[in-house]
Amino acid sequence: MREVDAEAEVAAWDGVEPEAARRLLSAGVEAFAERGYHATTTRDIAGRAGMSPAALYIHFRTKEELLFRISKVGHERARRIVAEAAGAQASPRERLGRAVRDFARWHAEHHTTARVVQYELQALGEEHYAEIATLRRDIDSQLRGIIEDGVRGGDFAVDDIPGTSLAVLSLCVDVARWFSAAGSRTPDEVGALYADLVGRMVTGCAGPARP
Amino acid sequence: MREVDAEAEVAAWDGVEPEAARRLLSAGVEAFAERGYHATTTRDIAGRAGMSPAALYIHFRTKEELLFRISKVGHERARRIVAEAAGAQASPRERLGRAVRDFARWHAEHHTTARVVQYELQALGEEHYAEIATLRRDIDSQLRGIIEDGVRGGDFAVDDIPGTSLAVLSLCVDVARWFSAAGSRTPDEVGALYADLVGRMVTGCAGPARP
DNA sequence: GTCTATAAACTGATAGAC
DNA sequence: GTCTATCAGTTTATAGAC
């Protein structure tokens, strides 16, 4: 199980050269997700990648830069997922469903990477954080745009658009915290469940037993 | 603002004696929430409490024990909030609304404490973690119980009860991550918004524009 | 109970051989 | 590019004076 996960995460560093840098990024994701950035030592990362402690500094200037590279690639992937759903030729309800399904599923399937992406921002330096924050704002506004479209067109009944948008994003992001590959739910199931729940959240109605 | 927050958090350690231990717990919450457990030094905690580094070890055996005390008191408070709503004499819809409103509001109002409670579990030792995990399972089952009651009585239309329960809990917990006292929402407003959103989540209906 | 001083271990990062 | 060896600084925790 662990090795399968590690393989899957290695595959995500397609553009990175040389191979040793990819191994270090993959080892970093594993270690940061497991223990947190500050509890992880450069020795641990290098060891997981099968190298000496010094080898890390050939490919990354500092431990923080390794984190930044992980965070950047992860955020770009997450942004693309939401942007593709938001830009699709479909109704707001279908776009929202797809955005939530794919975004939540990504956080489940890549929960190790997602955990680092979402919960280790604190450890980034000021300039690196600013760069990541731009990506995060874009993800936020893509999602809010879908909801705004739906409300404008009468598809959704939402009172507090920024609040609902924030809650939907928060719901999906937190999948990274609780999801476990050993648990009873597959990433696909999480995506389907969450798309359904969010669909209900944007639907105002006087259904059964609603006062 | 910082001093007001600090005062508010100090008030939470009512039962703890002596006063120096309360100051250390309060300083620990502040520091852990700001930088994370592993990035916080015992020097920093003691400094914030106006003491020398060695003074911490008079009141706590280790830094981890300080974290455990914070985590335990926080989890007990959170559990009580959910249990009181779950045990109220009211309809499932009212009990769920109250549970979500109060639980989400607590995570907003006490977001520093809640951040430590929810995001520093990793740093606990094995035995301490096991003790906390019991409290967490209880919170989980209290909430699921409300939803089960509602489904049984026909008040709620929920397909996946454990999944919905997990999502509701996750939604509320993650408030601690994003909530900022400087933001535009008050804890009361967050509670009201979340109670509304969760109310919709458990309502199946063929409302406006739902396929 | 609190302080100053310090032990003992570990950490991120570098130097220089190969 | 990678290694071994190591520096300089920091960390948790303790010893002993007051």
Side-chain angles (χ1 to χ4, degrees), chain B residues 8-90:
Chain B
E9 298 303 341
V10 166
W13 308 110
D14 272 354
V16 180
E17 288 292 337
E19 192 250 350
R22 282 201 299 278
R23 273 192 351 250
L24 285 165
L25 286 165
S26 178
V29 168
E30 251 186 78
F32 293 155
E34 209 173 295
R35 318 186 180 187
Y37 174 81
H38 284 107
T40 300
T41 66
T42 53
R43 279 172 171 74
D44 182 18
I45 298 167
R48 286 178 196 242
M51 295 178 225
S52 79
L56 190 149
Y57 296 91
I58 297 157
H59 303 282
F60 304 93
R61 271 200 310 212
T62 63
K63 180 181 155 188
E64 189 269 348
E65 197 191 273
L66 177 67
L67 172 67
F68 171 65
R69 293 290 297 275
I70 291 168
S71 196
K72 181 141 186 229
V73 171
H75 274 92
E76 276 166 347
R77 185 84 194 96
R79 176 172 69 163
R80 204 178 141 205
I81 286 166
V82 175
E84 278 178 1
Q89 289 279 5

Side-chain angles (χ1 to χ4, degrees), chain A residues 15-78:
Chain A
V16 180
E17 287 293 336
E19 193 251 349
R22 281 202 300 279
R23 278 200 338 261
L24 285 163
L25 286 165
S26 179
V29 167
E30 251 187 76
F32 292 155
E34 209 174 294
R35 318 187 180 188
Y37 174 81
H38 283 107
T40 300
T41 67
T42 53
R43 279 169 174 77
D44 182 19
I45 297 168
R48 286 178 195 244
M51 294 179 227
S52 78
L56 190 147
Y57 295 92
I58 297 158
H59 304 283
F60 303 94
R61 272 200 313 215
T62 62
K63 178 182 157 188
E64 188 269 347
E65 198 193 89
L66 177 67
L67 173 67
F68 171 65
R69 293 289 296 276
I70 292 167
S71 196
K72 182 140 184 230
V73 171
H75 274 92
E76 275 166 349
R77 186 83 194 97

Side-chain angles (χ1 to χ4, degrees), chain A residues 33-34 38-39 93 119 122 155 157 160 166-167 170-171 173-174 177-178 185 200-201 203-205 207-211, chain B residues 33-34 38-39 93 119 122 155 157 160 163 166-167 170-171 173-174 178 185 200-201 203-205 207-211:
Chain A
E34 209 174 294
H38 283 107
R93 187 167 289 276
Y119 296 103
Q122 235 181 3
D155 301 273
D160 179 351
L166 175 62
S170 162
L171 188 66
V173 160
D174 199 53
R177 182 181 58 87
W178 62 258
R185 254 167 270 269
R200 291 161 177 242
M201 275 168 57
T203 303
C205 64
R210 189 126 189 269
Chain B
E34 209 173 295
H38 284 107
R93 187 166 291 276
Y119 296 103
Q122 236 179 2
D155 301 273
D160 179 350
L166 176 61
S170 163
L171 188 67
V173 160
D174 200 52
W178 62 258
R185 254 169 269 271
R200 291 161 176 242
M201 277 169 55
T203 302
C205 65
R210 187 123 190 271

Side-chain angles (χ1 to χ4, degrees), chain A residues 93-124:
Chain A
R93 187 167 289 276
E94 282 168 322
R95 285 154 63 211
L96 182 61
R98 179 171 159 188
V100 169
R101 188 196 62 205
D102 293 354
F103 196 59
R105 179 168 56 192
W106 184 81
H107 278 82
E109 193 166 355
H110 302 276
H111 62 278
T112 40
T113 301
R115 225 165 268 178
V116 179
V117 163
Q118 299 294 354
Y119 296 103
E120 301 294 340
L121 292 167
Q122 235 181 3
L124 289 170

Side-chain angles (χ1 to χ4, degrees), chain B residues 109-193:
Chain B
E109 193 167 354
H110 301 278
H111 61 278
T112 41
T113 301
R115 225 165 267 178
V116 179
V117 163
Q118 300 293 355
Y119 296 103
E120 303 293 341
L121 292 168
Q122 236 179 2
L124 290 169
E126 217 170 316
E127 286 179 27
H128 284 160
Y129 178 78
E131 195 172 331
I132 296 292
T134 306
L135 291 165
R136 293 178 75 83
R137 273 192 295 274
D138 190 47
I139 292 171
D140 195 22
S141 73
Q142 295 274 1
L143 188 75
R144 195 168 51 248
I146 304 176
I147 296 177
E148 279 166 358
D149 287 351
V151 170
R152 211 178 359 246
D155 301 273
F156 301 153
V158 170
D159 301 321
D160 179 350
I161 295 175
T164 302
S165 173
L166 176 61
V168 170
L169 208 66
S170 163
L171 188 67
C172 294
V173 160
D174 200 52
V175 169
R177 183 180 57 87
W178 62 258
F179 185 85
S180 159
S184 57
R185 254 169 269 271
T186 66
D188 277 346
E189 285 164 355
V190 173
L193 170 64

Side-chain angles (χ1 to χ4, degrees), chain A residues 170-205:
Chain A
S170 162
L171 188 66
C172 295
V173 160
D174 199 53
V175 169
R177 182 181 58 87
W178 62 258
F179 186 85
S180 159
S184 57
R185 254 167 270 269
T186 66
D188 276 345
E189 286 165 354
V190 173
L193 170 64
Y194 271 44
D196 174 56
L197 291 174
V198 170
R200 291 161 177 242
M201 275 168 57
V202 296
T203 303
C205 64

